Amino acid sequence: MFRRKLTALDYHNPSGFDCKDETEFRNFIVWLEDQKIRHYKIEDRGNLRNIHSSEWPKFFEKYVQEVSCPFNAQERPETVDWLLGLAVRFEYGDNVDKYKNCTPEAASNDTEKASDPLINLDSNNPDFKAGVMALSNLLQIQRHDDYLLMLKAIRILIQERLTPEAIAKAGQSKEGLPVSLDKHILGFDTGDATLNEAAQILRLLHIEELRDLQTRINEAIVAVQAIIADPRTDHRLGKVGR
């Protein structure tokens, strides 16, 4: 609902913002006033910044009235949307030279280059959540509170394991190479030559399974890194990440 305006304002988490989360909402209002709207002088923002105060809702109601918002504080989504619109207008007013020659096509191209395609999805939509959950259950992917993160994991799994090329490759039979047991030392003696050979074969099979396990572990590490190595930077806060 708010993603486009949040993205335009360089908010650090435009896709995951939840105005129903009280702590996140209060921090967002502080950020919006400090960085974009700046209705109060810096020394007068203390009440809004004290997000843990039981009287914070009263100060927020006063703030909403003072900026002439047509909605009351209890109408949270409408109030947030209106405040974002106000912030966008101020942002444009502060950077007229930067935006006046910006064409829709150029802005669209820049956004496409900078954004992940999944950012266009509404992660709070119940149908979206149900679909992601159904896919994760079908593909046996670990559940996570962040549904976009789960969808990224599903995408990686499908790209690497379920494409026609991957399926064809997996279906190819592997021809083993002949192995001379004489070159492999068992390390112990059972007292029976036949049992010794059987033990050698079992050891070689076990080593092969360990190698396959190590390969799978490496693939899992790469897949996890591909998901989490996507920091979003808020240069104003001097922080990287959410």
Side-chain angles (χ1 to χ4, degrees):
M1 180 178 180
F2 313 116
R3 182 186 59 79
R4 291 183 182 275
K5 292 178 181 177
L6 289 170
T7 301
L9 294 170
D10 292 328
Y11 186 65
H12 69 280
N13 186 21
S15 297
F17 173 67
D18 181 9
C19 68
K20 296 179 182 179
D21 185 301
E22 191 64 31
T23 300
E24 184 175 7
F25 170 70
R26 294 186 182 188
N27 278 310
F28 163 75
I29 293 299
V30 173
W31 173 83
L32 199 63
E33 167 60 16
D34 280 345
Q35 301 293 333
K36 304 299 177 181
I37 297 178
R38 300 189 288 273
H39 176 72
Y40 290 148
K41 295 180 180 179
I42 295 177
E43 59 269 20
D44 295 332
R45 298 173 189 169
N47 290 329
L48 272 184
R49 288 175 173 173
N50 187 13
I51 63 172
H52 301 294
S53 171
S54 59
E55 296 187 337
W56 192 91
K58 180 181 70 175
F59 296 123
F60 176 61
E61 179 74 45
K62 180 172 179 272
Y63 175 74
V64 167
Q65 293 173 359
E66 291 185 0
V67 295
S68 302
C69 177
F71 304 102
N72 61 56
Q74 284 69 43
E75 298 174 291
R76 184 169 291 186
E78 294 83 357
T79 301
V80 169
D81 189 59
W82 188 89
L83 290 173
L84 284 172
L86 179 65
V88 169
R89 291 198 296 274
F90 287 155
E91 180 75 4
Y92 176 80
D94 291 342
N95 301 277
V96 174
D97 293 335
K98 175 182 176 181
Y99 296 115
K100 67 179 180 181
N101 295 322
C102 183
T103 63
E105 182 179 356
S108 176
N109 291 338
D110 290 342
T111 301
E112 289 177 1
K113 291 177 182 178
S115 302
D116 188 302
L118 299 182
I119 201 172
N120 295 317
L121 297 173
D122 181 5
S123 60
N124 294 318
N125 186 292
D127 293 335
F128 170 78
K129 292 182 178 180
V132 171
M133 190 60 68
L135 283 173
S136 68
N137 291 336
L138 180 65
L139 299 174
Q140 298 181 350
I141 290 177
Q142 180 68 37
R143 295 186 181 184
H144 194 279
D145 292 337
D146 189 332
Y147 285 85
L148 279 177
L149 202 63
M150 288 175 62
L151 187 57
K152 287 183 179 181
I154 291 170
R155 180 178 65 179
I156 290 172
L157 176 63
I158 291 174
Q159 288 174 339
E160 294 186 353
R161 299 292 181 86
L162 300 180
T163 59
E165 295 81 5
I167 294 174
K169 184 177 180 180
Q172 294 175 356
S173 60
K174 297 181 179 179
E175 296 183 2
L177 297 174
V179 176
S180 175
L181 295 180
D182 296 337
K183 296 181 179 180
H184 297 274
I185 300 174
L186 181 59
F188 60 89
D189 186 7
T190 64
D192 187 298
T194 304
L195 287 178
N196 285 345
E197 287 188 358
Q200 285 178 303
I201 293 171
L202 288 174
R203 170 167 286 186
L204 291 173
L205 290 174
H206 179 60
I207 292 173
E208 179 64 22
E209 288 179 350
L210 288 178
R211 288 174 176 170
D212 182 62
L213 176 60
Q214 183 63 55
T215 300
R216 291 175 180 272
I217 290 173
N218 292 339
E219 290 176 350
I221 292 173
V222 171
V224 170
Q225 289 176 338
I227 295 172
I228 64 175
D230 182 22
R232 290 171 172 77
T233 303
D234 183 351
H235 61 275
R236 297 183 184 86
L237 300 178
K239 294 181 181 179
V240 175
R242 296 177 182 272

